């Protein structure tokens, strides 16, 4: 498979992500623009959580803050995608999505694409790091690469 020429991992034409109208995830998207990875953390009981919610999953407090994490993680699970889920992906398959566990955030998990050859061997537990992919439309995506 030839290397992709685009500076973006997946082809153009996919819907651009946006912060929700209620503002719940605005802090997350603002952090990606700064090339920072953040997760919610309860200021009362110190529990980490992702995706964002209005209340803490543990103590039900509404005192949640965005907490910067290192962007270092490990692969918890993965899937090689062979069938496009959007018309813009018809020539992008296969690609690999990973569920990444973040040790410095009590092992909360995030989903993303794994950069590199979609056919290489992938190991559960392999270390990965966040990569920030800026798009001309103004958003920044978090991708992952093995380290």
């Amino acid at each position: 498979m030839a290397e992709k020429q685009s500076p973006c991992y997946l082809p153009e034409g996919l819907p651009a992500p946006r912060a929700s109208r209620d503002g719940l995830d605005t802090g997350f998207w603002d952090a990606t623009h700064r090339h920072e990875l953040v997760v919610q953390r309860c200021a009362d009981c110190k529990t980490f959580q992702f995706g964002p919610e209005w209340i803490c999953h543990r103590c039900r407090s509404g005192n949640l803050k965005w907490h910067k994490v290192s962007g270092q993680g490990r692969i918890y699970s993965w899937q090689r995608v062979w069938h496009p889920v959007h018309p813009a992906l018809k020539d992008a398959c296969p690609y690999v999505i990973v569920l990444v566990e973040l040790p410095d955030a009590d092992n909360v998990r995030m989903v993303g694409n794994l950069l590199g050859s979609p056919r290489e061997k992938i190991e559960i537990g392999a270390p990965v790091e966040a990569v920030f992919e800026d798009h001309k439309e103004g958003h920044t995506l978090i991708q992952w690469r093995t380290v």
Side-chain angles (χ1 to χ4, degrees):
M1 183 170 155
E3 289 293 316
K4 294 179 180 5
Q5 298 301 313
S6 168
C8 299
Y9 179 65
L10 295 176
E12 292 183 20
L14 293 169
R18 290 170 227 230
S20 59
R21 290 183 189 185
D22 61 11
L24 178 61
D25 57 355
T26 299
F28 175 79
W29 292 112
D30 289 349
T32 65
H33 287 295
R34 298 188 306 269
H35 288 199
E36 295 176 354
L37 183 61
V38 297
V39 296
Q40 277 186 325
R41 188 172 193 194
C42 179
D44 294 333
C45 74
K46 308 302 183 213
T47 298
F48 289 95
Q49 62 186 37
F50 192 84
E53 295 288 345
W54 289 111
I55 63 170
C56 174
H57 295 169
R58 182 169 179 231
C59 74
R60 306 293 184 245
S61 167
N63 193 10
L64 296 164
K65 308 290 184 204
W66 290 103
H67 181 83
K68 183 178 172 185
V69 295
S70 69
Q72 303 296 310
R74 60 182 167 255
I75 296 174
Y76 181 83
S77 185
W78 63 276
Q79 181 175 4
R80 189 170 283 118
V81 179
W82 292 94
H83 302 285
V85 296
H86 187 278
L89 296 173
K90 71 180 174 108
D91 295 324
C93 293
Y95 60 94
V96 175
I97 56 173
V98 288
L99 183 59
V100 174
E101 199 168 56
L102 303 173
D104 60 345
D106 289 341
N107 295 321
V108 297
R109 298 174 189 141
M110 289 185 174
V111 174
N113 297 308
L114 184 65
L115 302 178
S117 172
R119 296 180 188 267
E120 61 187 62
K121 183 179 177 186
I122 300 159
E123 293 187 27
I124 300 297
V128 292
E129 66 183 358
V131 175
F132 297 89
E133 184 180 272
D134 297 313
H135 287 250
K136 64 183 177 186
E137 299 85 4
H139 62 278
T140 301
L141 295 178
I142 297 173
Q143 311 286 14
W144 298 93
R145 73 172 160 224
T146 55
V147 291

